[in-house]
Amino acid sequence: PQEMEALDSGRTVWVTHPTEGYQMGKIVDLGTDTLTVAPIRSPNKTVTDVYDRVFPADETGNHVDDNCSLMYLNEATLLHNLKVRYERHRIYTYTANILLAVNPYKEIKGLYSEETIRKYTGKSIGVMPPHVFAIADKAFREMKALKWSQSIIVSGESGAGKTESTKSILRFLTVSYGATAGVIEQRIVEANPLMESFGNAKTMRNNNSSRFGKFIEVHYNEKFGVVGGLVSHYLLEKSRICSQMAEERNYHVFYRLLAGAPPQLREELYIDPNAVYRYLNPKSRKEKSIDDLGAYQVMMTSMEKVGLTSEEQLDLLRLVAAVLHLGNISFEEFTKDNKEQSAVSRESFKSFSAACKLLGLEESELRRGLVARVMTTTKGGGMGTIINIPLKGDQANNARDALAKALYLRMFDWVVNRINQCFPFQSSSYYIGVLDIAGFEYFQENGFEQFCINYCNEKLQQLFNKRILKEEQQLYGREGLSVREVVFVDNQDCISLIEAKIHGLLDLLDEECKLPKASNQHYTTSLHQKHKGHFRLELPRKSKLNYERSLRDDEGFIIRHFAGAVCYRTEGFIDKNNDALHDNLEAVISGSKSPFIRSLFPESEVSRSTSGTKKLALVSVGSKFRSQLSELMKKLKGTGASFIRCLKPNMTMESDHFVGGQILSQLQCAGMVSVLELMQGGYPSRAPFSDLYAMYKSFLPEHLAKLDPRTFSRALFMAVGMNEQDFSFGMSKVFFKAGKFAEFDQIMKSDPENLASLINRVQHWLVRQRWKKIIYGAICVLKLANKIKYRHSNAIIIQKYVRMYLVRLKHRPRYKGITKLKSLRRRIEIMREIVNVLKKDKEGLVKRITEMEQTLESEIAHIQSAIVTQEMIDSNYNMLLRQSEQFIKELQLREQKQIEEEKEAERLRKLKEEQERLRRIQEEMERERKRKEEEERRRRQEEEERRIKAEMEARRKREEEEAQKRREEEERKRKEEEELERLKLKQHREEEEKKRIQEEQERRDYELALRLSQDEGQGQNVIIEASVAKPLESRLARQSLKRSEKYASKQQESLRKKYDLSKWKYADLRDTINTSCDIDLLEACRDEFHRRLKVYHAWKMKNRAMKKTSSASRMPESVQQEAIQNPPTPPVRKSSLSSPTAAQPPAEIPPNNTQRFFRVPFVRPDPPGQRSLNKKKGWWFAHFDGQWVVRQLELHPDREPLLLVAGVDDMQMCELSLDETGLARKRGAEILEHDFETVWKKYGGRPYTAPAQRKK
């Protein structure tokens, strides 16, 4: 585009893209609230987006290890950095102290080798490239240094790589720091394959998805040696045991047993690899991407290494096979005594018999437990009549599935407890916990399991927000650090919706389970009624997916989670929440001949189940999970936390395929954009002064030990060469910028040799600082002495001139009188000349002249020696003047007589000479008169200039007084209406914040639905309606940068003006300003033009680069501060006297065409990382035509002047109006037009033609 060079030199930015997230382009136009960008890949097309969705780009294309080191900190550069690193097989990236891990979906050679473990052991973060090993090493060293247990929270969506990251962390901790503690560390690692076999399964998004949550603790003693471990598990997905979704599999152990069991074991377990098992999805039996045979060998090896005996291994496999056989048991219905009953079908006798043998049960007992239910009536609290109730076919199927789930769940609990027994410990001092729990899940059909999993992720996200965002900002406030506040969405309302007492979704579900005729429909209707109008809860028909809209209101509900809206089907909620065996079936299982089976169902539980109060005393699955989650959150809150955010590059699990839009959605849901915004000015690492001082106190010499901890800490940081911009001192702690962990860890190391070296450097730094203070003191003394001498010499000069002035004032009449008398000497000379010519009575005349001369000299001597009044001097002067004139006349008469006697020729000659002489005297007197007139003219001109300047100063004071009066009047009115306005403003802010949260939630819901449709929507039933996306886009288009309320009112006022310029292009506005002769149109274009410039410059300031360059500013800092502190007051329009209801056009304010000129000094800022004592000063000149600057000149001391003209250099010029700059109120800032034009022409500036003087 032709305008590209004019618009900020074609600035490169990031603009949104539907699939890639962001694309790079160049700005080609500035809109009212939008930017128009030409994508680099498609330069002939343009994309228009709001300012909040456009970000500046770094054209270098380099990648960094820490996102906080990017030149521009925003979500677009964060996404681009991840993409560049992913393409170079660098899957790990830091964001301050948080690790981002992008799943490569392939093996990267040497990434997790033992050599890599050795490289990262004991190394500070920042020394080596980002890695999961670095986070594990950091957790151990912080535990050792801070004497505080640590937790590593691995989070992310299903398939993002959480399980692999957890295994890598445990492997690092056991290999690097556990080599001397025995076999405990090895068992912790070797237990993972066993847990994965029983708790992991293939899903649509992950081939090895953990279907349970686990918190693995590695415990240490006071010497930081491993003493044991503990595994806590949460919410195993029991529904997967009996049924799976298409393209998903049951738990790994079933497939591994069928694929890897030797023939003898198969016969003992009555299993056949080629047989059909209903609990296993037939389409997923042979998965090419999974090696079940090799995994079986790994599983058996893991059993042996964790200490399971051969008999225990066989018991586990028997129970696994029994569950498979239970799934193949079917029932047939018949009618007896007018009651529908069921019995085990003949086709499943073989499976039924195998299950009984493997479980150690009598066939008759198990048959009776599956097809009938025993109930005991109660009367008066005692045992009553026992009633045997036959079950229908579907009820028998449910009893069978409940038995299979109960057996598998008890078996999984036994496996985890048995694993914990292989690394027991009596006591420990600290521990490092690694949390691996199912990530946020959303499928085409979401049930009770997804509800609980997403509830857990809500709690973890709240912990992340509180630990990283909320507590961090509160700490900055307590320590007195100036860090920009970051606003984030709090999900406490969503958590309260789920876990609140009485009316929470979990408590409502428990209450429904206690009802005699509980139903999922009644539960769904109840929760919608209890929480009607809740922002987080919606009806299914309000979903953004067509197939979810087909659900009835009593069949499901939508929860707006932090990651987006998820629709849950309530079918099966009650059964899964109250998933318990019938009393008689549990009694049958507890009577098994197998000791292993009996151990899974203790007698205490069975005896309690025979009482009639079991249903009321039952702890539901949801309540149990809530209690477990509460205990987990207490543990996490009581430890130091490190976060690893795992990311999925795509939904198809393909390697080397990076889908930016999906990654961006995960980053936004994980809160990484808010973290990046906080870390832009934050300090992610810190340490108390006292801790640092205590660490080095034993190594300090006596003279250094006397230093206070704060001074010592500053000396220590300077000694290691840290820049002052990299850390900041709070009230009690020192804080470090992001990316400075290497220096921080170097200080925190406890190596004696390193400490001694640091102490020497501290001493060296202290000596240098003291020597600098001495030098600076001496320089200051010398400067003070020179200043005193300079002032002394100037005082003498001032005294001299003052004395001279006083003397001249006192003796002015005398020396003026002497001057007048001395002027008579010329007359005496003339008399002598005349006497010399005369021939008669010459001696008498000479005597008279001598007497007159003596009288004159005596009078002069008298005036010089005595104080004579002005009247006496004038009287004597007049007397001498008359005498001289009379004598001259007399001499002239004598001379005339003599001349008459001489020849006529001689008389004429002398007369001519005399006339010539008199002419010269007259000419001299004329020149003296002209000189005095010129001096008078100059004096009057100077007085006129002083008068103009005085008028300017008076006008400035008058304007300042008027502005002060207006401010006082507004302040008075503001105080009168303060309470009402405060309430209105509070309500407005709450509405705006609610609207912002709703729009942000809507955007996340839309993106989540879009991802779900792209992932699973091959048919028409998962197509997103276009009508759903359009309102969202319109809401996003309405977003803009925040402005002040005064500016908003000014914008509303401009909408009522004569011209609608909102659709004009930036270049059209500029051309109209340069060429138009229509004053009204010109003023309207100027207002709109500069309004857009203000919005654009505000956007640039918001997205300024972290690595600041020493670029020139558009205006002096004093002008900017004045505009911020004293915003202009909008003009008050007088209301018409007519009726306010009458529709009249608004009055137009005539344009202000006053030409005003200003000059302001400025100080150039120091380059980044440098501090100069001698600041470089310059001058800033500005010419305002009305309210807007049209010419601007910057004079720098060491470079060429910078001349800027409106219409050509607008991006570099001051965009503020004259009222906003406050220059008219600044004393001494306004100058004359002549002064500005002189400087402007001196440096080659072109003349300016005002719009009113343009020719049409």
Side-chain angles (χ1 to χ4, degrees):
Q2 297 178 354
E3 307 100 296
M4 185 177 298
E5 188 65 26
L7 296 188
D8 214 358
S9 301
R11 186 184 183 92
T12 306
V13 296
W14 291 106
V15 66
T16 54
H17 189 273
T19 57
E20 297 180 5
Y22 284 93
Q23 60 181 336
M24 189 175 289
K26 292 184 178 293
I27 300 176
V28 296
D29 188 33
L30 306 182
T32 304
D33 293 314
T34 59
L35 286 173
T36 302
V37 180
I40 293 179
R41 296 180 181 177
S42 304
N44 296 327
K45 299 181 180 179
T46 58
V47 179
T48 301
D49 211 335
V50 296
Y51 276 92
D52 283 350
R53 304 297 293 168
V54 181
F55 301 98
D58 182 9
E59 300 184 45
T60 60
N62 299 328
H63 66 89
V64 294
D65 292 342
D66 192 339
N67 290 316
C68 294
S69 300
L70 292 168
M71 177 175 290
Y72 299 102
L73 294 184
N74 53 65
E75 60 184 41
T77 55
L78 169 61
L79 179 65
H80 179 67
N81 189 47
L82 291 178
K83 181 179 180 180
V84 173
R85 293 180 63 82
Y86 183 78
E87 292 172 349
R88 301 183 183 184
H89 304 294
R90 300 183 180 183
I91 63 174
Y92 294 113
T93 309
Y94 293 127
T95 300
N97 53 356
I98 302 168
L99 181 68
L100 301 180
V102 184
N103 195 339
Y105 290 121
K106 67 178 182 180
E107 183 178 354
I108 300 178
K109 186 177 180 180
L111 188 61
Y112 304 104
S113 63
E114 292 189 3
E115 182 181 356
T116 305
I117 292 177
R118 288 192 295 270
K119 289 181 179 179
Y120 279 88
T121 302
K123 297 295 178 63
S124 304
I125 287 183
V127 175
M128 299 291 291
H131 203 286
V132 67
F133 291 162
I135 297 296
D137 185 79
K138 170 179 172 289
F140 181 85
R141 289 184 292 107
E142 286 187 351
M143 177 188 68
K144 188 176 180 180
L146 303 177
K147 306 295 189 298
W148 192 24
S149 297
Q150 300 293 313
S151 295
I152 301 176
I153 301 174
V154 185
S155 61
E157 295 185 359
S158 179
K162 300 185 301 299
T163 301
E164 295 301 320
S165 297
T166 301
K167 290 191 292 186
S168 299
I169 292 171
L170 294 175
R171 182 165 170 262
F172 178 86
L173 293 175
T174 56
V175 172
S176 59
Y177 293 107
T180 60
V183 298
I184 295 178
E185 298 83 356
Q186 297 300 323
R187 288 183 177 178
I188 294 175
V189 177
E190 292 161 354
N192 265 319
L194 181 58
M195 283 192 295
E196 289 183 4
S197 298
F198 285 86
N200 288 25
K202 177 189 177 298
T203 64
M204 290 185 296
R205 295 189 174 93
N206 189 1
N207 287 340
N208 188 31
S209 176
S210 297
R211 307 317 300 163
F212 71 104
K214 57 179 178 289
F215 187 60
I216 304 175
E217 304 173 16
V218 182
H219 286 258
Y220 299 86
N221 57 20
E222 65 277 359
K223 296 182 180 180
F224 303 101
V226 178
V227 296
L230 180 65
V231 179
S232 304
H233 68 285
Y234 310 93
L235 196 66
L236 179 69
E237 187 181 10
K238 294 182 290 184
S239 61
R240 184 172 294 273
I241 300 170
C242 302
S243 63
Q244 307 90 43
M245 297 176 63
E247 299 181 2
E248 292 195 355
R249 303 211 312 175
N250 208 324
Y251 290 103
H252 292 326
V253 64
F254 297 109
Y255 304 94
R256 293 174 181 178
L257 178 61
L258 293 174
Q264 182 179 357
L265 182 59
R266 292 176 187 171
E267 294 179 2
E268 187 176 352
L269 301 180
Y270 311 105
I271 59 176
D272 183 3
N274 299 320
V276 177
Y277 296 96
R278 294 177 184 172
Y279 281 172
L280 304 182
N281 195 336
K283 297 181 180 179
S284 61
R285 287 286 297 275
K286 296 181 180 180
E287 185 70 34
K288 296 181 180 180
S289 60
I290 300 177
D291 181 14
D292 292 320
L293 178 59
Y296 173 79
Q297 301 298 334
V298 175
M299 179 183 69
M300 299 307 295
T301 304
S302 177
M303 288 183 182
E304 293 177 0
K305 291 187 175 181
V306 298
L308 294 183
T309 64
S310 57
E311 185 63 27
E312 290 174 333
Q313 296 177 26
L314 185 59
D315 288 337
L316 284 177
L317 299 180
R318 284 173 180 164
L319 187 50
V320 172
V323 173
L324 286 177
H325 290 301
L326 283 175
N328 283 355
I329 298 175
S330 60
F331 300 91
E332 55 187 11
E333 294 184 349
F334 62 92
T335 304
K336 183 179 181 181
D337 297 334
N338 295 328
K339 293 182 180 181
E340 294 182 1
Q341 303 182 21
S342 62
V344 178
S345 64
R346 295 180 180 275
E347 295 82 3
S348 59
F349 276 174
K350 184 178 179 181
S351 297
F352 178 77
S353 177
C356 290
K357 292 177 182 179
L358 293 173
L359 294 175
L361 300 175
E362 295 292 338
E363 293 186 8
S364 59
E365 293 291 334
L366 181 59
R367 183 181 292 108
R368 188 164 50 248
L370 291 175
V371 300
R373 180 180 179 185
V374 176
M375 294 188 65
T376 305
T377 62
T378 59
K379 186 175 182 181
M383 295 296 293
T385 306
I386 297 177
I387 303 175
N388 191 9
I389 302 176
L391 302 178
K392 300 178 183 180
D394 57 345
Q395 293 175 338
N397 287 329
N398 292 336
R400 175 204 62 201
D401 293 343
L403 176 60
K405 294 176 184 178
L407 288 172
Y408 195 89
L409 179 61
R410 300 296 181 99
M411 176 180 61
F412 186 75
D413 292 342
W414 184 90
V415 169
V416 174
N417 291 333
R418 192 64 180 82
I419 289 174
N420 287 331
Q421 292 176 11
C422 73
F423 32 76
F425 61 95
Q426 297 296 328
S427 62
S428 67
S429 300
Y430 316 100
Y431 69 87
I432 296 179
V434 183
L435 177 63
D436 175 17
I437 200 165
F440 186 82
E441 290 188 347
Y442 52 97
F443 302 104
Q444 187 170 341
E445 293 185 4
N446 302 283
F448 182 72
E449 292 81 3
Q450 284 71 40
F451 174 73
C452 293
I453 288 172
N454 293 341
Y455 163 51
C456 175
N457 280 271
E458 286 282 356
K459 297 283 285 186
L460 292 177
Q461 182 66 25
Q462 185 188 45
L463 174 67
F464 177 82
N465 291 340
K466 183 177 181 181
R467 185 65 61 89
I468 300 299
L469 299 176
K470 186 176 181 180
E471 292 182 355
E472 193 80 2
Q473 296 187 80
Q474 290 177 351
L475 177 62
Y476 293 157
R478 291 195 303 269
E479 292 289 332
L481 301 183
S482 179
V483 178
R484 186 177 62 180
E485 183 180 1
V486 177
V487 180
F488 61 93
V489 178
D490 190 1
N491 62 340
Q492 179 59 46
D493 56 342
C494 184
I495 296 174
S496 299
L497 173 67
I498 298 174
E499 68 177 11
K501 296 295 184 182
I502 302 177
H503 295 302
L505 300 189
L506 290 177
D507 278 7
L508 288 177
L509 183 59
D510 290 345
E511 290 299 322
E512 186 69 27
C513 292
K514 296 177 182 179
L515 297 178
K517 294 183 179 181
S519 67
N520 297 315
Q521 291 78 11
H522 182 267
Y523 165 67
T524 309
T525 304
S526 175
L527 68 90
H528 282 307
Q529 291 177 351
K530 295 289 186 183
H531 300 283
K532 186 177 181 180
H534 197 289
F535 169 67
R536 295 283 184 175
L537 188 67
E538 288 288 356
L539 296 169
R541 50 190 162 91
K542 294 186 178 181
S543 173
K544 292 178 171 53
L545 294 169
N546 278 343
Y547 69 88
E548 291 180 351
R549 291 188 172 192
S550 61
L551 293 177
R552 297 197 308 267
D553 291 349
D554 61 352
E555 290 182 343
F557 59 90
I558 294 176
I559 293 183
R560 287 175 165 172
H561 292 286
F562 70 93
V566 178
C567 182
Y568 299 99
R569 290 175 179 263
T570 53
E571 181 182 357
F573 261 53
I574 293 177
D575 294 336
K576 294 175 181 179
N577 187 56
N578 193 14
D579 196 6
L581 291 175
H582 298 317
D583 297 345
N584 56 325
L585 190 55
E586 188 171 359
V588 169
I589 295 298
S590 62
S592 171
K593 298 176 183 179
S594 170
F596 176 71
I597 299 298
R598 289 199 306 270
S599 66
L600 299 181
F601 295 87
E603 288 294 332
S604 58
E605 294 186 7
V606 177
S607 61
R608 286 198 305 268
S609 68
T610 59
S611 64
T613 59
K614 177 189 175 185
K615 191 168 187 179
L616 296 176
L618 177 68
V619 178
S620 65
V621 176
S623 298
K624 181 180 178 181
F625 180 65
R626 179 172 56 185
S627 301
Q628 291 178 334
L629 190 57
S630 178
E631 293 296 326
L632 174 64
M633 298 308 295
K634 287 182 180 179
K635 284 186 177 181
L636 296 179
K637 292 178 181 178
T639 60
S642 299
F643 293 90
I644 300 177
R645 293 294 197 185
C646 298
L647 305 172
K648 292 174 60 176
N650 56 77
M651 290 296 179
T652 56
M653 294 185 290
E654 299 179 18
S655 61
D656 301 323
H657 182 44
F658 190 96
V659 183
Q662 296 175 1
I663 292 284
L664 179 62
S665 178
Q666 296 176 65
L667 291 172
Q668 292 172 341
C669 294
M672 296 311 302
V673 177
S674 299
V675 173
L676 198 64
E677 187 178 356
L678 177 62
M679 292 300 109
Q680 181 176 3
Y683 303 86
S685 191
R686 71 293 312 267
F689 299 132
S690 56
D691 289 357
L692 289 175
Y693 184 75
M695 181 177 294
Y696 303 105
K697 186 175 182 179
S698 59
F699 299 92
L700 296 178
E702 184 178 355
H703 64 283
L704 290 181
K706 297 179 180 179
L707 294 175
D708 63 281
R710 185 186 183 95
T711 304
F712 173 76
S713 299
R714 181 176 293 277
L716 188 63
F717 300 146
M718 293 302 177
V720 299
M722 293 187 67
N723 194 318
E724 290 188 7
Q725 298 178 352
D726 297 336
F727 63 91
S728 180
F729 279 76
M731 303 297 293
S732 60
K733 297 181 178 67
V734 59
F735 294 81
F736 296 86
K737 280 284 188 181
K740 299 302 173 181
F741 300 118
E743 291 89 338
F744 174 67
D745 287 336
Q746 181 182 2
I747 296 173
M748 297 296 291
K749 282 182 179 178
S750 57
D751 182 11
E753 296 181 0
N754 185 49
L755 293 177
S757 174
L758 286 178
I759 294 303
N760 292 333
R761 295 166 72 177
V762 169
Q763 291 178 337
H764 179 68
W765 183 84
L766 286 174
V767 171
R768 289 183 60 188
Q769 291 300 113
R770 290 169 180 171
W771 178 246
K772 286 181 180 180
K773 288 183 179 180
I774 294 173
I775 294 176
Y776 290 156
I779 293 175
C780 291
V781 171
L782 292 175
K783 286 184 177 180
L784 181 60
N786 293 333
K787 184 174 289 187
I788 292 174
K789 292 180 180 179
Y790 173 75
R791 290 184 175 180
H792 180 265
S793 61
N794 287 343
I796 292 176
I797 294 174
I798 292 172
Q799 291 176 0
K800 178 180 70 175
Y801 280 100
V802 170
R803 291 193 186 101
M804 178 185 69
Y805 172 76
L806 294 176
V807 171
R808 289 181 62 182
L809 186 64
K810 179 179 179 181
H811 299 287
R812 181 177 298 171
R814 297 172 61 194
Y815 71 74
K816 283 187 176 182
I818 293 174
T819 303
K820 289 181 180 180
L821 292 174
K822 287 183 178 181
S823 64
L824 298 177
R825 291 177 178 176
R826 180 59 183 164
R827 292 179 175 272
I828 294 176
E829 293 178 358
I830 294 173
M831 294 178 191
R832 291 184 184 278
E833 292 176 357
I834 296 174
V835 170
N836 290 334
V837 176
L838 296 177
K839 297 178 180 179
K840 296 180 180 180
D841 198 13
K842 194 173 185 178
E843 293 180 358
L845 294 174
V846 171
K847 184 177 179 181
R848 289 179 60 185
I849 292 173
T850 302
E851 291 177 355
M852 188 178 296
E853 183 177 10
Q854 290 177 354
T855 304
L856 176 62
E857 294 299 331
S858 62
E859 187 64 27
I860 292 174
H862 176 67
I863 294 174
Q864 290 178 345
S865 60
I867 303 299
V868 184
T869 62
Q870 180 71 39
E871 291 77 7
M872 294 178 63
I873 294 174
D874 293 341
S875 175
N876 294 334
Y877 170 76
N878 293 331
M879 181 188 67
L880 291 175
L881 182 61
R882 286 193 302 270
Q883 291 179 359
S884 62
E885 289 178 351
Q886 293 175 359
F887 191 64
I888 289 175
K889 289 180 180 179
E890 181 181 352
L891 291 176
Q892 288 176 349
L893 291 174
R894 290 190 180 192
E895 184 181 13
Q896 186 175 3
K897 289 180 181 181
Q898 184 175 342
I899 292 173
E900 289 176 356
E901 294 175 357
E902 294 179 354
K903 294 180 179 180
E904 186 67 21
E906 184 69 17
R907 184 186 64 78
L908 294 174
R909 183 184 63 80
K910 288 185 178 181
L911 181 62
K912 187 177 181 180
E913 289 179 355
E914 181 65 18
Q915 290 176 352
E916 180 67 20
R917 183 179 62 80
L918 292 175
R919 185 185 63 79
R920 288 197 299 270
I921 292 174
Q922 290 177 354
E923 289 179 354
E924 183 178 356
M925 295 175 66
E926 183 68 19
R927 286 195 297 271
E928 181 68 18
R929 184 184 62 78
K930 289 181 179 181
R931 184 184 64 79
K932 291 182 178 180
E933 289 179 353
E934 179 66 19
E935 290 180 354
E936 183 67 19
R937 187 188 64 79
R938 289 180 182 178
R939 184 184 63 77
R940 290 178 180 178
Q941 182 179 0
E942 290 177 357
E943 289 179 354
E944 181 67 18
E945 290 182 356
R946 285 194 296 269
R947 185 187 63 79
I948 294 175
K949 290 183 178 180
E951 290 179 355
M952 290 169 54
E953 179 67 17
R955 181 176 59 184
R956 183 193 66 80
K957 290 182 177 180
R958 185 169 60 254
E959 291 177 354
E960 186 176 0
E961 291 175 357
E962 292 176 356
Q964 181 66 23
K965 290 180 180 179
R966 286 198 302 269
R967 285 195 293 268
E968 291 177 355
E969 181 67 17
E970 289 177 358
E971 181 68 17
R972 185 184 64 80
K973 293 181 179 180
R974 185 188 64 81
K975 288 182 178 180
E976 292 177 354
E977 302 176 357
E978 184 176 10
E979 186 64 23
L980 179 60
E981 290 296 329
R982 186 183 63 82
L983 294 176
K984 289 183 179 180
L985 181 60
K986 182 179 179 181
Q987 183 180 2
H988 176 71
R989 288 177 177 174
E990 290 176 353
E991 292 176 355
E992 287 294 324
E993 180 66 17
K994 184 178 180 180
K995 182 179 178 182
R996 185 188 68 80
I997 293 175
Q998 290 177 351
E999 291 179 348
E1000 180 69 16
Q1001 188 67 43
E1002 286 287 339
R1003 182 184 62 80
R1004 292 184 180 179
D1005 297 347
Y1006 172 74
E1007 293 176 353
L1008 187 65
L1010 182 63
R1011 291 174 60 188
L1012 184 59
S1013 66
Q1014 293 173 349
D1015 186 25
E1016 302 174 355
Q1018 303 299 329
Q1020 296 296 327
N1021 59 338
V1022 288
I1023 298 177
I1024 298 180
E1025 294 181 347
S1027 61
V1028 176
K1030 288 181 180 178
L1032 178 64
E1033 294 175 359
S1034 64
R1035 282 192 296 271
L1036 288 176
R1038 290 196 302 267
Q1039 293 179 357
S1040 60
L1041 294 175
K1042 294 182 179 179
R1043 301 179 179 90
S1044 66
E1045 295 180 2
K1046 292 184 178 180
Y1047 188 81
S1049 63
K1050 186 176 180 181
Q1051 183 182 13
Q1052 293 176 1
E1053 180 183 348
S1054 67
L1055 294 177
R1056 300 191 299 266
K1057 287 189 176 181
K1058 184 177 179 181
Y1059 303 97
D1060 182 12
L1061 306 175
S1062 59
K1063 297 181 180 179
W1064 283 39
K1065 291 185 177 180
Y1066 175 85
D1068 297 338
L1069 293 173
R1070 184 190 58 204
D1071 294 341
T1072 303
I1073 293 173
N1074 291 338
T1075 59
S1076 177
C1077 297
D1078 187 341
I1079 300 300
D1080 294 337
L1081 176 61
L1082 181 64
E1083 287 298 320
C1085 289
R1086 276 185 171 182
D1087 290 341
E1088 178 65 19
F1089 182 82
H1090 286 87
R1091 195 193 68 77
R1092 295 188 186 185
L1093 276 182
K1094 291 176 187 177
V1095 176
Y1096 179 69
H1097 287 306
W1099 172 81
K1100 288 176 64 176
M1101 179 61 65
K1102 178 182 178 182
N1103 297 280
R1104 61 185 180 274
M1106 287 296 294
K1107 301 175 182 178
K1108 297 180 181 178
T1109 57
S1110 57
S1111 59
S1113 177
R1114 303 182 305 279
M1115 67 197 82
E1117 185 176 357
S1118 60
V1119 177
Q1120 293 179 348
Q1121 294 299 325
E1122 177 69 20
I1124 295 173
Q1125 296 175 2
N1126 299 307
T1129 303
V1132 179
R1133 299 176 181 268
K1134 296 183 179 179
S1135 59
S1136 177
L1137 297 177
S1138 60
S1139 174
T1141 59
Q1144 296 181 356
E1148 294 185 0
I1149 299 178
N1152 183 7
N1153 299 321
T1154 306
Q1155 310 293 318
R1156 302 183 73 172
F1157 306 86
F1158 299 91
R1159 180 184 63 184
V1160 179
F1162 68 88
V1163 179
R1164 189 192 306 172
D1166 295 328
Q1170 300 181 15
R1171 180 177 295 178
S1172 175
L1173 296 178
N1174 298 322
K1175 303 292 184 180
K1176 297 181 179 180
K1177 301 180 180 180
W1179 290 97
W1180 183 80
F1181 293 81
H1183 170 200
F1184 282 84
D1185 184 354
Q1187 282 293 314
W1188 308 111
V1189 65
V1190 292
R1191 287 186 292 176
Q1192 186 172 309
L1193 171 63
E1194 296 180 16
L1195 297 181
H1196 298 270
D1198 54 355
R1199 55 174 153 172
E1200 293 295 325
L1202 181 61
L1203 284 78
L1204 305 174
V1205 180
V1208 180
D1209 310 301
D1210 301 285
M1211 288 293 178
Q1212 305 174 42
M1213 298 179 68
C1214 173
E1215 75 279 7
L1216 302 178
S1217 66
L1218 178 60
D1219 293 338
E1220 290 174 328
T1221 60
L1223 290 173
R1225 303 186 299 271
K1226 192 176 183 65
R1227 184 175 184 179
E1230 188 168 5
I1231 59 176
L1232 298 175
E1233 180 180 2
H1234 170 74
D1235 298 335
F1236 180 88
E1237 294 294 346
T1238 301
V1239 180
W1240 182 261
K1241 293 178 181 178
K1242 177 180 178 181
Y1243 295 105
R1246 296 181 179 180
Y1248 171 71
T1249 302
Q1253 300 174 359
R1254 296 175 183 169
K1255 296 182 180 180
K1256 296 187 178 180

